[in-house]
Amino acid sequence: MAPVLIYDGDCGFCAASARLAAERIAPGLRIAESQRAGLPPGLRARARDEVLLAHPDGRRVWGGADAVAVLLTAGPRPVLRPVGALMRAPGLRALSGIAYRWVARNRHRMPGGTASCGVPRAG
């Protein structure tokens, strides 16, 4: 079984990024829109602010920059593994988180982003 990348299906930038991850970074990766994934309340709240990567057994979920780093580190592309490892290294992990949060806050300005990408949703 493959891990599942859970993304904001209302955001064009997020949807395009998830497809890119499934097609180019980790072929075989399953992707799911957070709005249709049947997430419990705590994960649903997290999914409004960050991408989630769920381990195939469902016992572990990474979010934001950690999700990206784990995907790169554990993915089938050996050339990307050092990038994921650097993203989780002491010092760089904090910088990766800052960069991820900046992109997440500004995703409505990214290629494919729409006004709905930047509107917080209730629920």
Side-chain angles (χ1 to χ4, degrees):
M1 290 200 39
V4 180
L5 186 71
I6 302 165
Y7 66 96
D8 181 353
D10 291 335
C11 175
F13 174 73
C14 297
S17 297
R19 285 191 304 274
L20 175 73
E23 293 169 5
R24 304 283 180 162
I25 295 173
L29 174 71
R30 295 181 299 154
I31 58 175
E33 295 179 6
S34 61
Q35 295 84 350
R36 293 180 177 82
L39 299 172
L43 287 180
R44 193 170 44 240
R46 283 181 64 191
R48 282 193 296 272
D49 297 323
E50 61 185 359
V51 68
L52 302 175
L53 182 67
H55 190 276
D57 67 12
R59 288 189 240 172
R60 182 78 198 260
V61 177
W62 297 271
D66 282 339
V68 175
V70 169
L71 181 63
L72 295 174
T73 303
R77 305 265 190 225
V79 70
L80 297 176
R81 290 179 188 153
V83 176
L86 283 172
M87 288 178 68
R88 297 193 87 195
L92 293 179
R93 185 174 186 194
L95 290 175
S96 295
I98 290 167
Y100 180 89
R101 287 186 299 279
W102 184 88
V103 170
R105 280 191 313 272
N106 292 283
R107 59 192 170 142
H108 60 285
R109 295 183 176 120
M110 300 295 168
T114 64
S116 65
C117 299
V119 177
R121 287 172 297 284

